[in-house]
Amino acid sequence: MNRHAQTVVLLLTGGALLHAGSTDLYLRYVKAGLQPLLIGAGVVLTAAAVATLWYERQAARSRRDRHREPDEPGAGPDQQREPDAPGAGPERAAAGRHAHREPRVAWLLVLPLLALVLVAPPAAGSYTAMRTGSALQEQPWGYPKLPADGPLRLTVADYAGRAVYDQGRALAGRRIKVAGFLALDGHGAPYLVRMALNCCAADAQPVKIALTGELPPVLQPDSWIEVTGTYTPKRTKDPVNGTAVPYLSVASTRPVKAPQDPYDEAWNG
């Protein structure tokens, strides 16, 4: 691509990053903590595009000034038109006729940028979750103290970690509320899942809770629900990587709206 086309692509890239970083769209790609870096990258690319365009215009103006005819307005008295060398005209014309234009297919580079602005990709869901091994953080030194009264509102990762590594000592006998999306394995067994992020959506890994008890007669994968239930020491193994997956004994469920940030970043701090 020529320099002007490169500038356009650079400007569109910077604009797309600024658009994603200033809206909730960036949460489909990276974790929330990277928003300032994303906006900063957009600002840098946009400024680079503007600076490149200004430089190209200045260079074009300098070239016009150097090739201005002596009798043209603004031409200096010391500017003399050099006679063309023999054969220079035909050779120059032939070179112009045989100059190759940049391939138009290069403009396809713009399509991913338009897709980034116009199409919001769905977050990783049940299809990815049931084909990826369950991920739990390494056993921590301890857990935050839980409220003494009332139901416990836990994340999927918090419940799974306490159930697996702490043997549910702080969960036994308590009413627990956990929200996530539904996923079904190859045998139709239901799981409550949240996708955990390290950096970006490309490294998203699921944290799973197997469900038992009073479940709805119809289970729709990828639907978001809040489960109310109690801890049970029952466990199973993830069929993908053999990681321990705890059970939750369900007493009731209700549909909930998908969160603004579909990924759970609390599991790894």
Side-chain angles (χ1 to χ4, degrees):
M1 303 179 72
N2 60 32
R3 186 62 62 87
H4 287 90
Q6 293 172 6
T7 303
V8 171
V9 173
L10 193 64
L11 184 62
L12 289 175
T13 304
L17 290 178
L18 289 175
H19 169 72
S22 59
T23 63
D24 295 336
L25 180 60
Y26 79 99
L27 294 173
R28 300 296 181 93
Y29 299 96
V30 298
K31 62 192 305 181
L34 296 180
Q35 183 184 23
L37 296 178
L38 197 67
I39 294 178
V43 171
V44 170
L45 290 177
T46 302
V50 172
T52 301
L53 183 61
W54 178 85
Y55 174 80
E56 284 298 308
R57 288 189 173 182
Q58 292 296 110
R61 183 177 302 173
S62 298
R63 289 193 296 268
R64 287 196 302 268
D65 291 342
R66 287 197 302 267
H67 292 86
R68 184 172 294 163
E69 297 291 343
D71 55 348
E72 290 184 15
D78 56 342
Q79 288 183 307
Q80 300 293 331
R81 183 178 179 181
E82 296 181 1
D84 292 335
E91 289 178 1
R92 188 173 302 168
R97 287 195 302 268
H98 291 88
H100 294 284
R101 296 176 58 86
E102 293 78 11
R104 294 182 180 180
V105 71
W107 283 103
L108 292 177
L109 292 171
V110 178
L111 294 182
L113 303 176
L114 296 179
L116 175 63
V117 175
L118 301 177
V119 181
S126 61
Y127 181 87
T128 302
M130 300 316 296
R131 288 162 177 78
T132 308
S134 182
L136 281 178
Q137 62 180 359
E138 296 181 0
Q139 184 172 1
W141 293 104
Y143 293 94
K145 187 176 181 180
L146 297 174
D149 301 318
L152 299 175
R153 290 188 176 273
L154 303 176
T155 65
V156 171
D158 194 13
Y159 176 85
R162 290 175 183 271
V164 171
Y165 296 122
D166 197 40
Q167 287 73 47
R169 281 190 287 264
L171 305 177
R174 302 292 300 273
R175 192 164 62 129
I176 300 168
K177 293 180 178 288
V178 187
F181 64 85
L182 272 171
L184 305 177
D185 66 10
H187 302 286
Y191 292 82
L192 192 68
V193 184
R194 285 296 298 270
M195 301 298 290
L197 282 187
N198 284 310
C199 172
C200 57
D203 60 29
Q205 294 176 287
V207 180
K208 308 172 187 177
I209 299 175
L211 301 178
T212 186
E214 300 295 327
L215 296 170
V218 178
L219 299 175
Q220 183 65 37
D222 294 311
S223 60
W224 284 80
I225 61 172
E226 182 183 71
V227 173
T228 301
T230 55
Y231 165 76
T232 174
K234 182 180 178 182
R235 297 184 189 178
T236 186
K237 287 188 177 181
D238 192 297
V240 180
N241 63 354
T243 301
V245 176
Y247 271 85
L248 177 66
S249 181
V250 179
S252 64
T253 62
R254 70 180 184 91
V256 294
K257 186 179 180 181
Q260 179 182 2
D261 186 352
Y263 296 104
D264 183 9
E265 302 171 19
W267 78 294
N268 63 351

